[in-house]
Amino acid sequence: MTRIDKNSSGGGNAVTVRGMVKHYGETKALDGVDLDVREGTVMGVLGPNGAGKTTLVRILSTLLKPDSGEATVAGYDVLHQPRQLRKVIGLTGQYASVDEKLPGWENLYMIGRLLDLPRKEARARADELLERFSLTEAAKRPVSTYSGGMRRRLDLAASMIGRPEVLFLDEPTTGLDPRTRNEVWDEVKAMVGDGVTVLLTTQYMEEAEQLASELTVVDHGKVIARGAIDELKAKVGGRTLRVRPADPLQLRPLANALDELGITGLATTTVDAERGAVLVPILSDEQLTAVVGAVTARGITISSITTELPSLDEVFLSLTGHRASAPQDTVPTTDTREEVAV
């Protein structure tokens, strides 16, 4: 079987999935999933715990076989061309996959050799990536001495050894502090700038906003929404009013007055003390009129009222019925973790 010409077969998709099904016993982790990821973009896959995100990544990276369905990655058939496919993909899972007993440099060199790089090229690639990920000074230290952020950067470097065309990132910033998370985001953006296609699973809404060109939302193994972020926000509907009183001391009285209206939007009324405003999610012009009427009745002077599309967290809430929960920052101690993660 030869490699599929992406340009002639599907309009430049780096990943194509059709009818993917996977069971774990009686649990249906994937239930007829369809997915298209355009070349050179970041596809964010969102969903609650157990939605099927990790199962999808493991199938597409040839670590797991589906029960039915088909998929191609970088032009290769996932089921029938796994050896060829592995040479053009990279994978960073939720937990570091490098050998903690080995120094950082030896980890990267070993992976290069396993990918059939000549010795000279494997050495050069290890040096290059250690510098790119700001790990040169720690190159000879055992990975067990690295901080969590350093291990995650080394894991990303390891996934880039073979210059992959498609990179799978399965909740890559779980457990990282905000500064390190931003560093990882910068590296992912640089990879995409180099032409790499990324499939990113995440429960961090900010991460999806920062990195993804398009989103696919999965729940109970099914795709329940897909599209660009702004398209999903518009599809869900609703707006958020940002009501700013002239007197900052009126913030709480204003919030109380709006709470009493009992408006049902995509979320609840919240106070943004830093910006001196009350945020009120609404679903209709009638609710906007009610807000203005309540403010007038209380005699509160308003300096401005602006409208915004719903936040991505509110979109997630509307689509799945509950808010996104940030991934746990603890790491399981056994190797069975990937078998049970769906």
Coordinates of all heavy atoms in Angstrom, one line a residue, residues 130-168:
L130 N 18.3 20.5 22.4 CA 18.6 20.9 23.7 C 18.8 22.4 23.8 O 18.3 23.1 24.7 CB 19.9 20.2 24.2 CG 19.7 18.7 24.6 CD1 21.1 18.1 24.8 CD2 18.8 18.6 25.8
E131 N 19.4 23.0 22.8 CA 19.6 24.4 22.7 C 18.2 25.1 22.5 O 17.9 26.1 23.2 CB 20.6 24.8 21.6 CG 20.8 26.3 21.5 CD 21.8 26.6 20.5 OE1 22.4 25.7 19.9 OE2 22.1 27.9 20.3
R132 N 17.4 24.6 21.6 CA 16.1 25.2 21.3 C 15.2 25.2 22.5 O 14.5 26.2 22.7 CB 15.5 24.4 20.1 CG 14.1 24.9 19.8 CD 13.5 24.2 18.6 NE 12.2 24.6 18.3 CZ 11.5 24.3 17.2 NH1 12.1 23.5 16.3 NH2 10.3 24.7 17.0
F133 N 15.3 24.1 23.3 CA 14.4 24.1 24.5 C 15.1 24.5 25.8 O 14.6 24.2 26.9 CB 13.9 22.6 24.6 CG 12.8 22.3 23.6 CD1 13.1 21.8 22.4 CD2 11.5 22.5 23.9 CE1 12.2 21.5 21.4 CE2 10.5 22.2 23.0 CZ 10.8 21.7 21.7
S134 N 16.2 25.2 25.6 CA 16.9 25.8 26.8 C 17.3 24.8 27.8 O 17.2 24.9 29.0 CB 16.0 26.9 27.4 OG 15.7 27.9 26.5
L135 N 17.9 23.7 27.3 CA 18.3 22.6 28.2 C 19.7 22.2 28.1 O 20.2 21.2 28.6 CB 17.4 21.3 27.9 CG 15.9 21.4 28.3 CD1 15.2 20.2 27.7 CD2 15.7 21.5 29.8
T136 N 20.5 23.0 27.4 CA 21.9 22.7 27.1 C 22.7 22.6 28.4 O 23.5 21.6 28.5 CB 22.5 23.8 26.2 OG1 21.8 23.9 25.0 CG2 24.0 23.5 25.9
E137 N 22.5 23.5 29.4 CA 23.2 23.4 30.6 C 22.9 22.1 31.4 O 23.8 21.7 32.2 CB 23.0 24.6 31.4 CG 23.5 25.9 30.8 CD 23.3 27.1 31.7 OE1 22.8 26.9 32.9 OE2 23.6 28.2 31.3
A138 N 21.8 21.6 31.2 CA 21.4 20.3 31.9 C 21.6 19.1 31.1 O 21.2 18.0 31.5 CB 19.9 20.4 32.4
A139 N 22.3 19.2 29.9 CA 22.3 18.1 29.0 C 23.0 16.8 29.6 O 22.5 15.7 29.3 CB 23.2 18.5 27.8
K140 N 23.9 17.0 30.5 CA 24.6 15.8 31.0 C 24.1 15.3 32.4 O 24.6 14.4 33.0 CB 26.1 16.1 31.2 CG 26.8 16.4 29.8 CD 28.3 16.6 29.9 CE 28.9 16.9 28.6 NZ 30.4 17.1 28.7
R141 N 23.0 16.0 32.9 CA 22.5 15.6 34.2 C 21.4 14.6 34.0 O 20.6 14.6 33.0 CB 21.8 16.8 34.8 CG 22.8 17.8 35.5 CD 22.2 19.1 35.9 NE 20.8 18.9 36.4 CZ 20.0 19.9 36.6 NH1 20.3 21.1 36.2 NH2 18.8 19.7 37.1
P142 N 21.3 13.6 34.9 CA 20.2 12.7 34.8 C 18.8 13.4 34.8 O 18.6 14.4 35.5 CB 20.3 11.8 36.1 CG 21.8 12.0 36.5 CD 22.1 13.4 36.1
V143 N 17.9 12.9 34.1 CA 16.6 13.5 34.0 C 15.9 13.5 35.3 O 15.0 14.4 35.6 CB 15.7 12.8 32.9 CG1 14.3 13.3 32.9 CG2 16.3 13.0 31.5
S144 N 16.2 12.6 36.2 CA 15.6 12.5 37.5 C 15.9 13.8 38.3 O 15.2 14.1 39.3 CB 16.1 11.3 38.3 OG 17.5 11.4 38.5
T145 N 16.9 14.6 37.9 CA 17.2 15.8 38.6 C 16.5 17.0 38.0 O 16.6 18.2 38.5 CB 18.7 16.1 38.6 OG1 19.2 16.4 37.3 CG2 19.5 14.9 39.2
Y146 N 15.8 16.8 36.9 CA 15.1 17.9 36.2 C 13.8 18.3 37.0 O 13.2 17.5 37.6 CB 14.7 17.5 34.8 CG 15.8 17.4 33.8 CD1 17.1 17.3 34.2 CD2 15.5 17.4 32.4 CE1 18.1 17.2 33.3 CE2 16.5 17.3 31.5 CZ 17.8 17.2 31.9 OH 18.8 17.1 31.0
S147 N 13.4 19.6 36.8 CA 12.1 20.1 37.3 C 11.1 19.5 36.4 O 11.3 19.0 35.3 CB 12.1 21.6 37.4 OG 12.1 22.1 36.1
G148 N 9.8 19.7 36.8 CA 8.7 19.2 36.0 C 8.6 19.9 34.7 O 8.4 19.3 33.6
G149 N 8.9 21.2 34.7 CA 8.9 22.0 33.4 C 10.0 21.6 32.5 O 9.9 21.5 31.3
M150 N 11.2 21.3 33.0 CA 12.3 20.8 32.2 C 12.0 19.4 31.6 O 12.4 19.2 30.4 CB 13.6 20.7 33.1 CG 14.1 22.1 33.6 SD 15.4 21.9 34.8 CE 16.8 21.2 33.8
R151 N 11.4 18.6 32.4 CA 11.1 17.2 31.8 C 10.1 17.4 30.7 O 10.2 16.7 29.7 CB 10.4 16.4 32.9 CG 11.4 16.0 34.0 CD 10.8 15.0 35.0 NE 11.6 14.8 36.2 CZ 11.4 13.9 37.1 NH1 10.5 13.0 36.9 NH2 12.1 13.8 38.1
R152 N 9.1 18.3 30.9 CA 8.1 18.5 29.8 C 8.8 19.0 28.6 O 8.5 18.6 27.4 CB 7.0 19.4 30.3 CG 5.9 19.7 29.3 CD 5.4 18.5 28.6 NE 4.5 17.7 29.5 CZ 4.2 16.4 29.3 NH1 4.7 15.8 28.3 NH2 3.4 15.8 30.2
R153 N 9.7 20.0 28.7 CA 10.4 20.5 27.5 C 11.3 19.4 26.9 O 11.4 19.3 25.6 CB 11.3 21.7 27.9 CG 10.5 22.9 28.4 CD 11.2 24.2 28.3 NE 12.5 24.2 28.9 CZ 12.7 24.5 30.2 NH1 11.7 24.8 31.0 NH2 13.9 24.5 30.7
L154 N 11.9 18.6 27.7 CA 12.7 17.5 27.1 C 11.8 16.5 26.4 O 12.1 16.0 25.3 CB 13.4 16.7 28.2 CG 14.3 15.6 27.7 CD1 15.5 16.1 26.9 CD2 14.9 14.8 28.9
D155 N 10.6 16.2 26.9 CA 9.6 15.4 26.3 C 9.2 15.9 24.9 O 9.1 15.2 23.9 CB 8.4 15.2 27.2 CG 7.8 13.8 27.1 OD1 8.6 12.9 26.9 OD2 6.6 13.7 27.3
L156 N 9.0 17.3 24.8 CA 8.6 17.9 23.6 C 9.8 17.8 22.6 O 9.6 17.5 21.4 CB 8.3 19.4 23.8 CG 6.9 19.7 24.3 CD1 6.8 21.1 24.7 CD2 5.9 19.3 23.2
A157 N 11.0 18.0 23.1 CA 12.2 17.9 22.3 C 12.3 16.4 21.7 O 12.6 16.2 20.5 CB 13.5 18.2 23.1
A158 N 12.0 15.4 22.6 CA 12.1 14.1 22.1 C 11.1 13.8 21.0 O 11.4 13.1 20.0 CB 11.8 13.1 23.3
S159 N 9.9 14.4 21.1 CA 8.9 14.2 20.0 C 9.3 14.9 18.7 O 8.7 14.5 17.7 CB 7.5 14.7 20.5 OG 7.5 16.2 20.6
M160 N 10.3 15.8 18.8 CA 10.7 16.5 17.6 C 11.9 15.9 16.9 O 12.3 16.4 15.9 CB 10.9 18.0 17.9 CG 9.7 18.7 18.4 SD 8.4 18.8 17.1 CE 9.2 19.8 15.8
I161 N 12.5 14.9 17.5 CA 13.8 14.4 17.0 C 13.7 14.0 15.5 O 14.6 14.3 14.7 CB 14.2 13.1 17.8 CG1 14.8 13.6 19.1 CG2 15.2 12.3 17.0 CD1 16.2 14.1 19.1
G162 N 12.6 13.4 15.1 CA 12.5 12.9 13.7 C 11.9 13.9 12.8 O 11.5 13.5 11.7
R163 N 11.8 15.2 13.2 CA 11.2 16.2 12.4 C 9.8 15.8 11.9 O 9.6 15.6 10.7 CB 12.1 16.6 11.2 CG 13.4 17.3 11.6 CD 14.2 17.8 10.4 NE 15.3 18.6 10.8 CZ 16.5 18.2 11.2 NH1 16.7 16.8 11.2 NH2 17.5 19.0 11.5
P164 N 8.9 15.6 12.8 CA 7.6 15.0 12.4 C 6.8 16.0 11.6 O 6.9 17.2 11.7 CB 6.9 14.8 13.8 CG 7.5 15.8 14.7 CD 9.0 15.9 14.3
E165 N 6.0 15.4 10.7 CA 5.0 16.2 10.0 C 3.7 16.5 10.8 O 3.1 17.5 10.7 CB 4.6 15.4 8.7 CG 5.7 15.2 7.7 CD 5.3 14.5 6.5 OE1 4.1 14.6 6.1 OE2 6.1 13.7 6.0
V166 N 3.4 15.5 11.7 CA 2.2 15.6 12.6 C 2.7 15.4 14.0 O 3.4 14.4 14.3 CB 1.1 14.7 12.2 CG1 -0.1 14.8 13.1 CG2 0.7 14.9 10.7
L167 N 2.3 16.2 14.9 CA 2.6 16.1 16.3 C 1.4 16.0 17.1 O 0.4 16.8 17.0 CB 3.4 17.3 16.8 CG 3.9 17.4 18.2 CD1 4.8 16.2 18.6 CD2 4.5 18.7 18.5
F168 N 1.3 14.9 18.0 CA 0.2 14.7 18.9 C 0.6 15.1 20.3 O 1.5 14.6 20.8 CB -0.2 13.2 18.9 CG -0.7 12.7 17.6 CD1 0.1 11.9 16.8 CD2 -2.0 13.1 17.1 CE1 -0.4 11.4 15.6 CE2 -2.4 12.6 15.8 CZ -1.6 11.8 15.1

